[in-house]
Amino acid sequence: MSTPTRAVINLDVTGPTISRHLYGHFAEHLGACIYGGFFVGADSDIPNVRGMRTDVVEALKAIDIPNLRWPGGCFADEYHWRDGVGPVEQRPTVVNTHWGNVVEDNSFGTHEFMDLVDQLGCEPYICGNVGSGTVREMADWVEYLTRSGEAPMSELRRANGRDEPWQVKYWGIGNESWGCGGNMRAEYYADLARQYSTYCREHDGNQLYKIAGGANVDDYHWTETLMKTLGDLGCGCNPRHFFDAISLHYYTMPTGFEDKLSATEFDDATYYLTMAAAWRIDELLTRHGNVMDVYDPAKRIGLVLDEWGTWFAVEPGTNPGFLYQQNTMRDALVASVHFDSFHRHADRLVMANIAQTVNVLQAMLLTDGDTLIKTPTYHVFEMNKGHHDADLLPLNWTGQALPTRTVGNREIALVSASASTKNGTAMVSLTNLDLEAAHLVTLDLRGHRVTGITGRILTAGAVNAHNTADQPDIVAPQPFDVPAVTDGTLTVDLPAHSFVTLELTLG
Ligand code: AHR
């Protein structure tokens, strides 16, 4: 048996709060995410409430979904919101040029989205169109959504059946403006973002949290340009600054964008390349954060990772433009490594949105007719719920070095962990990425007595195991036997390719 790696956790010394919004979601008009995924229409035989699939809504409520980003993605920068309001039969059709060239009938629009987030009990995060829209169009959308009284847009909303304005906080100013959102240079976009932001007004006390479209992966120049362009952070006037946050996109692609491999059939080398790509998020959050620190040491501007997750080849026989991929135990481990990193960066990272919630990329849920499949990634979100709005417990590795593996020119740790506390409890998440070996981790728990402990584990016989309509629970959480805490320490034996959560009751 290997020598345990030791982690000290001071249960009474807390770090920043881990926002529940780090467990956020993203739904684009792409493939079967909206149509067939979330929305089947009120006349469907699939149980629904005003067209929203009941099973999907219930499954997402069970993981306490905190927010949903919509309508894209690339689609956001060719979406004209007026196409999606008013009587459904009169709404125009448009071509979704990014995703499969299919005809979009606009039957799911603003009112439907706001109904969906209401049914989910989560916050809307709307991404406005900078790439092919206008300043006025975006300003009108904000007014339509959030203004009461007698005003042109509030009256239009009323004519479309909604009297009261909605509350909308999270507002994106374009998406991937360096690419599908307009192929702009950082300097040009930064000025445009100031301009658009100026006219996104705060109506009737609705406070917008404006998120500027941020960098792709390691484009630190983009982040720096936006930080330089923010406006005066300290003046206390309105607006104090032009945006409240900057986004970042990073996808886990083990063999690159041009050479995507199967989501379910992969060899050991590709598995470890995937894990090295997942670990890279830690470097990216650190380095973008460092750039932001130069201009904003008080960390008033948030970093929003509003697209992340695995991007593999589509399932054989499916439309390449629909980005439908299966989801295995490998995806679950990618997610758990990301969450540990998110927790460590909770002082700057205020939101993250996995791409995408249903039937697209690293999905929580896959639909197959009227069947709903919860993916291994879904289970990681569910098992980690205890971290929502909890205070980080910094975890210090000490003594025996962490097991590592060299992957290309990177040395990656094979064990990852994070911890948090709230309401007299603590949660520890532990991941073993090793394909073959179990690893022992000793937790040195200081500062509180532990009066109770329960554990759960997510693992599978093979790391490419996945859930299907015929076998929906091949990868599902199971109880995990945890030994007693003795003299404040606890040694956990983590099986190969597994994710474990421990819930501690503190005395
Ligand atoms: O999530 C799929 C696509 O990935 C999004 O539309 C785009 O923003 C990103 O390139």
Side-chain angles (χ1 to χ4, degrees), residues 26 28 30 69 72-76 98-99 175-176 178 180 216 249 251 257 307 311 323 355-356 360-361:
F26 171 34
E28 180 165 12
L30 195 179
R69 177 175 183 250
C74 295
F75 183 76
H98 288 291
W99 306 120
N175 170 75
E176 296 195 351
W178 40 262
C180 65
N216 185 29
H249 288 182
Y251 284 95
F257 189 77
E307 290 186 27
W311 194 326
L323 309 187
Q356 298 189 9
V360 171
L361 298 175

Side-chain angles (χ1 to χ4, degrees), residues 371-376 379 466-476:
T371 306
L372 186 74
I373 300 152
K374 293 175 177 160
T375 64
H379 293 304
H466 51 278
N467 296 331
T468 61
D470 292 337
Q471 295 188 297
D473 294 317
I474 291 282
V475 188

